[in-house]
Amino acid sequence: MQGVLYAVVGFACGIISQGIANAIMTAKRSIKKSEDDIPVPPLVKSAALWGVFLAVSSNTRYQIINGLERLVETSPVAKQVPPVTMAFTVGVRFAKNVYGGMQFVDWARWSGCQ
């Protein structure tokens, strides 16, 4: 069920963010054209890619991180030294976001959107 929610949110955010990016690219090109301009990415295809990515990859990564955090929170070390839990949470979520960003770039290239 969570994956469906992520897919809908990803698609909606993809429509909005890619729509804004496309509008900016189009406006810039109407002012100054360049030989180095890349094609404007397709709006619906990009949004669908975001929806699938969030439903599959982000949801999976979220579930893994949630499970790891529960394990750490219930450990004896975390109960004795609470900053350990906070440091673990910050570190693992930061790493998840960096990895997810790199993974999305790969997905976008693979799909032809980037």
Side-chain angles (χ1 to χ4, degrees), residues 10-11 13-15 17-18 41-58 61 96-114:
F11 184 79
C13 289
I15 287 284
S17 62
Q18 192 63 55
L43 181 63
V44 176
K45 184 177 179 182
S46 295
L49 180 68
W50 269 110
V52 170
F53 178 75
L54 286 182
V56 176
S57 176
S58 293
R61 286 183 286 118
K96 176 188 84 71
N97 286 332
V98 169
Y99 176 72
M102 293 185 315
Q103 191 179 32
F104 182 77
V105 169
D106 290 341
W107 276 47
R109 286 184 182 146
W110 172 78
S111 72
C113 283
Q114 193 179 52

Side-chain angles (χ1 to χ4, degrees), residues 45-100:
K45 184 177 179 182
S46 295
L49 180 68
W50 269 110
V52 170
F53 178 75
L54 286 182
V56 176
S57 176
S58 293
N59 186 39
T60 303
R61 286 183 286 118
Y62 171 79
Q63 298 301 331
I64 290 168
I65 297 304
N66 196 28
L68 288 173
E69 285 179 341
R70 285 186 185 188
L71 283 175
V72 169
E73 288 172 358
T74 59
S75 73
V77 174
K79 290 178 181 174
Q80 292 175 348
V81 188
V84 168
T85 305
M86 182 64 72
F88 176 79
T89 296
V90 169
V92 78
R93 286 180 181 260
F94 178 78
K96 176 188 84 71
N97 286 332
V98 169
Y99 176 72

Side-chain angles (χ1 to χ4, degrees), residues 25-40:
M25 289 173 77
T26 303
K28 178 185 169 251
R29 289 174 185 180
S30 69
I31 296 169
K32 180 181 178 187
K33 294 187 188 256
S34 171
E35 297 274 332
D36 299 327
D37 285 342
I38 60 168
V40 176

